[in-house]
Amino acid sequence: MNIAMLGSGFIGRFYADSLQGYRSKDKIVSIYSRKEESTKKFAADYRVPFATTNMEEAIARPEVQVVCISLPNNLHEDAVMLCCKHKKAVITTKPLGRNAAEAQRMLEAVEKAGIFNGYLEDLVYTPKFIKAHESVKNGALGRILWAKSRETHPGPHSDWFWDIEQAGGGCILDLGCHCVEIARSYIGKDIKPMEVMCWADTQVKPIDAEDHAIGLVKYENGAIGQFEVSWTFRGGLDLRDEVMGTEGTIWVNSFLRTGFEMFTTGKGADYVAEKAESNSGWLFPVGDELNELGYNHMFMDMFNALEKGVQPKETFYDGYVVNAVLDAAYTSAKSKLWEPVKLNIWRGRTGVGKDSHLQPYDADHYLVKEEVTHYGAKKVILKNKKTGKIIERIL
């Protein structure tokens, strides 16, 4: 693929390292950035033949097959509309929009233009997520009851994140978009998110947006998604997922504890891992950040789908649903109430009822629990179907 990269900053360089790493045939042929100096440096570092501070020039070039947006949130819509104008396939970093209204306009625009669209939600492409999700799909955990995702760190790298007008929000939008899509994937992307309860506050940073939040997302089938996000966490980048089902549990630690630990006085250890706060003492390096964070698998899926003429795993539609859930989270944080998720576009299942939690044991009883005690007794706890009385039996 010949790629036009929009944005030369932190995420743009992560994308470039992944796209052009490992002797890849995919090449960035055009780079746009708002600052001329950083545009030229990016072009030199990644051997990009065309560099410009004019966004449309970068997109419209005839050799460009796909446009990769790695710009501040407030510039996503302008970039997407230019891709529609020039009929270029487009993939964009998260979140899709600053809110659901922006996201819906972008979704409708790319679909009307008939162009390929991909949502670059890297954390549903990590090797650990892919393995865990496959186990969930195969039924290893039974019926999914609860899916929790946590992303916390000391705060973003670039100034625009801290400006609520450019970013559209704080850590809920920046990090919650990852967590919501992770939980949604485990529960089932065809299951409708119904309402959200969220607490949010500005506890540490001198900003107008929230720097810490916790939220619950209630799904139509009775499952609960949970997100924990913070720009105030000290100690690096903490990425963790937990999934609980009727038949099992999964715990995933994607970044802060990877089985790689190192002690150093600080000599020769300038960079350890993304958002690491120290280069001395006990450290937790990451062997291959591009792979552990899902970038390689993500772009492979995007470009394979584009070549085959099919949709990738994550599209603008997914980004729109996430934005709608986060809109409800912001409303709830203010009202202190459960707030409905307002989806003008829903393509999943409807009328999905809550599955029965009653497990028959025999003709007269439901099973509550079975266990072996520390003294060797095997017993079951049962509920009478007619009277509701709880009893136990030693087997």
Side-chain angles (χ1 to χ4, degrees):
M1 290 292 167
N2 288 334
I3 304 142
M5 182 68 70
L6 308 184
S8 61
F10 178 84
I11 194 63
R13 285 177 170 269
F14 252 129
Y15 288 169
D17 288 338
S18 180
L19 288 165
Q20 297 192 166
Y22 308 112
R23 300 176 63 86
S24 172
K25 294 179 181 179
D26 304 312
K27 296 297 177 188
I28 299 170
V29 297
S30 175
I31 173 65
Y32 157 79
S33 183
R34 294 166 295 162
K35 300 175 182 176
E36 187 172 359
E37 182 180 349
S38 59
T39 308
K40 289 180 178 178
K41 186 167 192 330
F42 186 102
D45 290 345
Y46 294 100
R47 299 181 181 180
V48 181
F50 181 79
T52 180
T53 55
N54 182 300
M55 189 189 299
E56 188 164 7
E57 282 184 1
I59 293 170
R61 294 185 66 79
E63 69 272 24
V64 169
Q65 296 169 284
V66 58
V67 177
C68 182
I69 300 172
S70 54
L71 294 167
N73 299 344
N74 62 313
L75 299 178
H76 289 190
E77 188 172 5
D78 288 344
V80 167
M81 295 309 170
L82 285 172
C83 292
C84 293
K85 176 182 176 182
H86 293 281
K87 302 294 185 182
K88 302 288 186 178
V90 57
I91 54 180
T92 185
T93 191
K94 60 78 199 174
L96 178 56
R98 289 176 291 181
N99 51 58
E102 262 187 11
Q104 183 175 335
R105 289 196 297 270
M106 286 184 266
L107 170 61
E108 291 175 335
V110 294
E111 291 185 343
K112 182 178 179 181
I115 60 174
F116 177 93
N117 58 94
Y119 179 55
L120 299 179
E121 176 43 77
D122 59 291
L123 294 187
V124 299
Y125 288 99
T126 69
K128 290 177 183 175
F129 176 88
I130 291 171
K131 183 72 173 182
H133 189 242
E134 197 65 30
S135 296
V136 168
K137 286 197 301 181
N138 290 339
L141 270 62
R143 177 164 52 94
I144 301 304
L145 308 172
W146 172 60
K148 168 186 168 185
S149 184
R150 169 184 171 91
E151 179 167 0
T152 62
H153 57 61
H157 300 281
S158 301
D159 54 0
W160 66 265
F161 282 96
W162 306 94
D163 181 340
I164 195 169
E165 176 58 31
Q166 292 184 75
C171 63
I172 291 177
L173 192 59
D174 178 37
L175 309 180
C177 60
H178 287 303
C179 300
V180 166
E181 188 64 353
I182 288 169
R184 180 174 168 250
S185 297
Y186 283 127
I187 291 167
K189 293 202 294 184
D190 59 338
I191 305 299
K192 192 173 186 179
M194 301 300 292
E195 52 184 350
V196 180
M197 169 64 80
C198 181
W199 166 87
D201 198 2
T202 310
Q203 294 187 311
V204 177
K205 308 296 185 182
I207 57 173
D208 295 327
E210 76 289 346
D211 61 15
H212 192 181
I214 300 169
L216 296 174
V217 183
K218 190 183 297 182
Y219 286 80
E220 192 174 19
N221 67 349
I224 287 288
Q226 180 176 339
F227 63 83
E228 299 175 2
V229 293
S230 180
W231 284 349
T232 66
F233 174 77
R234 305 308 302 268
L237 175 57
D238 187 15
L239 300 176
R240 280 181 280 166
D241 303 334
E242 297 180 33
V243 192
M244 184 179 73
T246 54
E247 303 297 327
T249 303
I250 288 175
W251 294 342
V252 175
N253 193 323
S254 294
F255 209 80
L256 198 57
R257 294 290 188 277
T258 61
F260 185 173
E261 301 182 13
M262 175 177 72
F263 178 86
T264 175
T265 60
K267 185 175 182 180
D270 291 335
Y271 181 82
V272 178
E274 181 185 341
K275 295 181 177 69
E277 290 200 279
S278 175
N279 66 349
S280 63
W282 277 107
L283 306 175
F284 308 97
V286 178
D288 184 345
E289 289 186 54
L290 297 175
N291 199 56
E292 290 298 324
L293 290 172
Y295 294 120
N296 295 330
H297 294 87
M298 177 177 70
F299 285 117
M300 180 173 65
D301 176 51
M302 293 291 160
F303 293 164
N304 284 346
L306 181 52
E307 288 174 350
K308 293 175 183 177
V310 299
Q311 288 192 338
K313 185 165 77 172
E314 295 286 317
T315 69
F316 276 26
Y317 171 72
D318 296 297
Y320 161 71
V321 174
V322 169
N323 268 127
V325 172
L326 297 180
D327 279 5
Y330 278 112
T331 303
S332 175
K334 293 177 181 177
S335 71
K336 315 299 183 189
L337 301 170
W338 285 95
E339 293 288 349
V341 178
K342 298 176 182 178
L343 284 164
N344 296 325
I345 303 171
W346 174 246
R347 295 169 180 169
R349 296 155 64 193
T350 56
V352 180
K354 181 180 177 182
D355 290 340
S356 174
H357 62 282
L358 302 174
Q359 181 179 346
Y361 180 75
D362 57 26
D364 299 318
H365 298 91
Y366 294 115
L367 176 66
V368 178
K369 185 184 178 184
E370 55 186 337
E371 64 179 345
V372 178
T373 67
H374 66 284
Y375 51 89
K378 296 181 179 179
K379 69 177 182 178
V380 290
I381 299 174
L382 306 172
K383 179 180 179 178
N384 188 284
K385 291 181 179 180
K386 291 182 179 179
T387 67
K389 184 179 180 181
I390 305 292
I391 63 169
E392 64 179 64
R393 288 181 185 170
I394 304 299
L395 301 178

